[in-house]
Amino acid sequence: MKLLTDDEIDAHWWVVAEGGLIGLAAGLLATGAIFKYGAYKYPGFPKNLPWSIRTAIFISPPTVGITIGAEEASNAFDREMYSNDYNAKLKLEEHKRWAELPLSQKFVQGAANNKYKIIVGAWAASMWGSWVFVDRDPIMTKTQKIVQARMYAQFLTVGLLLGSIGLSMYDEKHNAPAKVEELQGWEKVLLEEEERQKKEKENGNGTYKRARIYKD
């Protein structure tokens, strides 16, 4: 049985916490969709339900989301961490570097690493928010509302894209040494792999030559 170090426990905790938060967000979205669709489909929902049922409907999706998200994050961490010694060392070094960063730098780097997810999510939220805002106008037709909501969403999306470009430039400027170190690590792995293949090839040639000599 392998004894875990404090760094491994701390790194695992952060990964599981991140997975749980993602599951919580997904569960809350599912809860909102259930209440929204239920109220649209059934006019008495959820007012006619007891408080115990309402509470169960509200907390069930987030609870399931947290459980699944944390479990999947833990399994992914184990696969990546303990596949080989080099991955374990690289993972711990990355976690130590992350732990030493100030809170503002963690936020910037986290946003830069997940910028595409943020852009897609913000675009979907802007589409929904734009439609809710435009749908209040009693004068415009449905087609006009769709066009207007799409224009608002496109404007917000352009702003998000410009912000992501600036965020990438900032992250590239402040995290260049860490990325160079990571590239050097991969170069080391490639060199070790080439050396191993070279030795295997030499050993194979030596065996072949000995077999030929024995046959003659």
Side-chain angles (χ1 to χ4, degrees):
M1 183 179 67
K2 176 179 172 56
L3 297 178
L4 300 179
T5 63
D6 292 338
D7 292 334
E8 290 176 332
I9 294 174
D10 191 49
H12 180 264
W13 187 90
W14 280 104
V15 170
V16 171
E18 181 181 0
L21 289 176
I22 294 174
L24 173 62
L28 290 175
L29 289 176
T31 297
I34 290 173
F35 277 92
K36 188 72 175 179
Y37 180 77
Y40 172 78
K41 192 71 175 178
Y42 307 101
F45 182 88
K47 296 179 181 179
N48 296 336
L49 296 176
W51 276 104
S52 58
I53 303 298
R54 298 187 204 180
T55 304
I57 295 174
F58 180 82
I59 67 174
S60 293
T63 303
V64 174
I66 291 173
T67 303
I68 295 176
E71 181 68 21
E72 290 297 322
S74 177
N75 293 336
F77 176 84
D78 290 340
R79 287 193 300 268
E80 185 177 355
M81 181 73 176
Y82 303 113
S83 58
N84 55 65
D85 293 337
Y86 178 77
N87 282 348
K89 181 180 178 182
L90 190 64
K91 192 77 174 178
L92 289 178
E93 290 178 353
E94 180 183 354
H95 172 69
K96 290 179 181 179
R97 184 180 64 84
W98 170 266
E100 293 174 355
L101 292 176
L103 183 60
S104 59
Q105 194 69 20
K106 289 180 180 178
F107 175 79
V108 171
Q109 187 172 346
N113 294 337
N114 300 279
K115 59 184 177 181
Y116 296 111
K117 297 179 182 178
I118 295 174
I119 290 174
V120 173
W123 174 80
S126 65
M127 285 289 292
W128 179 78
S130 300
W131 173 255
V132 172
F133 176 74
V134 174
D135 193 42
R136 297 176 180 177
D137 194 329
I139 300 176
M140 289 191 297
T141 63
K142 187 174 182 180
T143 303
Q144 291 175 334
K145 291 179 181 179
I146 293 175
V147 173
Q148 195 72 14
R150 184 172 60 85
M151 291 179 61
Y152 288 148
Q154 286 179 344
F155 176 77
L156 293 174
T157 303
V158 171
L160 288 171
L161 290 174
L162 293 176
S164 68
I165 293 173
L167 189 63
S168 298
M169 295 175 62
Y170 180 86
D171 182 66
E172 187 72 22
K173 179 180 179 181
H174 289 77
N175 294 319
K179 294 182 179 179
V180 170
E181 183 178 354
E182 182 178 354
L183 289 176
Q184 291 175 350
W186 280 110
E187 290 175 357
K188 181 180 178 181
V189 172
L190 292 176
L191 290 175
E192 291 177 353
E193 181 65 20
E194 290 178 358
E195 187 68 21
R196 185 184 65 81
Q197 292 179 358
K198 184 178 179 181
K199 290 181 179 180
E200 289 181 354
K201 186 176 180 181
E202 291 176 354
N203 293 334
N205 291 337
T207 303
Y208 177 73
K209 290 179 180 179
R210 287 195 297 270
R212 289 291 301 272
I213 293 172
Y214 176 78
K215 183 177 179 180
D216 293 338

